[in-house]
Amino acid sequence: MTLLVTGATGFVMSVFARHWLETYPTEHLVALDLAPMDAAAQRYFAPVADRLTTIVADVTQPETWRPTLEAHTVTYVVHGASVTPISRGTVAEAKREPESEAPARIIDVNIMGTVAMLEWARSLRSLRRFVYVSSGSVYKHHGPDRPGEPLPEDGYVMPRRLYGIAKLASELIAERYGDMFGFSAASVRLSSVYGPMDRETGSRNFRHVPNRIAHKALGGDPVVRVNTMDGVGDYIQAEDVASGIAGLLKAPLLRFGTYNIAAGETTTVGDIASWAAERVPGFKAEVVPAAHADIVQDAALTGGMWGAYDISRILADTGWKPRPTREAFLAYMDWLSAETAR
């Protein structure tokens, strides 16, 4: 059996691709990405490279990749290729609006790239399941109605930026294609992801708080400057995302069209800094004015896309649970330490 993963040489999809190949040692994987493997990806995939085929092509141009795929009997598709134009982290970064730099490209890749992949996938007699990789960016900035509850997949959807708008549109398109052409299709909405292979690429240059703090601590800086200790996020490690997507692909039956993949709880900046100090004694977070901070967060943003996500659907349909957030973060620090020592 063969799995096709688009966007597979980037961040989250590379972690998923390697997880799949390690978990299912008799299966093959085709990685389709606009970018060829960089040095980090080549090292990362080396242990499983004998069962990996790479296609360097633009997902919006099917004539460049469909002929190559004809040689493979693809049974699963995970479509993760996208342009991720996010700008946050410091005051200076927040002033930049990356969506305005190439809005048509964002729409073309993130919507029409999905359509191109679905048009091809619907012709496959071997196809068992199509999973579209979406994002918590489809949600509102507030909700649910009863404070303290995790955010469910139903309702509270109101994207305001092109990235979230395109993600929501592609979710609906994938669901409709599945209905029209009789194949199993589902979307996964990821909360804030960090972890192995989180690096700058041509389609993504954004680092969530755990990544920033881990790099600060392991880079020898004794202090990370923050504007608040109380800013929160539902931070999920990429390796846990990988096992969650794999579980959805292999599940006998999916009862829903969308699934949150998240930690299911929020973690503060202060929490993450204290965990980093377990690996780097003496490291700490220091509160400074926002203009001088390495990490800027709004402590008032605790609901909607910024709060905890409900993960009961994926638990019920696959039995998947993420690792405890502290354990997952420390595992990432260990990976990052080993990688930087190479």
Side-chain angles (χ1 to χ4, degrees), residues 10-12 14-15 44 194-199 237-239 323 328 331-332 335-336:
F11 167 33
V12 180
S14 65
V15 177
Y44 190 69
Y194 71 97
M197 298 299 287
D198 191 352
R199 68 206 191 282
Q237 219 251 52
E239 293 168 320
R323 289 168 293 177
Y332 170 56
W335 179 89
L336 186 61

Side-chain angles (χ1 to χ4, degrees), residues 255-256 311-320:
R255 295 179 295 159
F256 304 97
I311 56 175
S312 57
R313 279 188 179 181
I314 189 171
L315 172 62
D317 279 8
T318 72
W320 175 86

Side-chain angles (χ1 to χ4, degrees), residues 31-199:
L32 190 158
D33 204 306
L34 179 61
M37 285 197 188
D38 58 15
Q42 291 176 19
R43 290 195 304 272
Y44 190 69
F45 282 115
V48 293
D50 61 321
R51 290 181 289 118
L52 176 65
T53 298
T54 302
I55 301 173
V56 179
D58 188 330
V59 71
T60 66
Q61 299 175 13
E63 68 278 6
T64 65
W65 47 264
R66 287 186 71 150
T68 305
L69 285 174
E70 289 178 0
H72 301 275
T73 303
V74 174
T75 49
Y76 301 103
V77 176
V78 175
H79 179 48
S82 68
V83 177
T84 309
I86 302 176
S87 180
R88 287 198 309 273
T90 66
V91 170
E93 289 170 340
K95 292 179 179 178
R96 175 173 170 257
E97 180 48 88
E99 285 194 337
S100 66
E101 296 169 7
R105 178 62 178 169
I106 295 166
I107 294 168
D108 191 28
V109 173
N110 294 5
I111 296 180
M112 296 313 299
T114 304
V115 172
M117 189 54 55
L118 286 163
E119 275 291 294
W120 169 77
R122 74 181 179 91
S123 69
L124 301 179
R125 293 185 178 182
S126 58
L127 184 64
R128 295 187 180 181
R129 185 157 291 152
F130 186 105
V131 170
Y132 173 69
V133 181
S134 187
S135 164
S137 63
V138 304
Y139 289 123
K140 295 181 179 180
H141 286 203
H142 61 275
D145 295 338
R146 288 179 287 189
E149 292 185 352
L151 190 68
E153 291 89 346
D154 289 337
Y156 309 104
V157 171
M158 183 59 72
R160 307 302 300 174
R161 295 180 179 273
L162 290 178
Y163 179 68
I165 292 167
K167 286 293 184 183
L168 180 58
S170 287
E171 286 184 15
L172 298 173
I173 292 167
E175 182 178 18
R176 182 58 183 149
Y177 262 74
D179 289 343
M180 286 193 297
F181 301 112
F183 61 86
S184 175
S187 296
V188 292
R189 293 174 181 165
L190 311 183
S191 63
S192 299
V193 189
Y194 71 97
M197 298 299 287
D198 191 352
R199 68 206 191 282

Side-chain angles (χ1 to χ4, degrees), residues 2-6 8 28-32 52-55 69 72:
T2 298
L3 165 67
L4 170 66
V5 181
T6 68
H28 189 86
L29 187 142
V30 178
L32 190 158
L52 176 65
T53 298
T54 302
I55 301 173
L69 285 174
H72 301 275

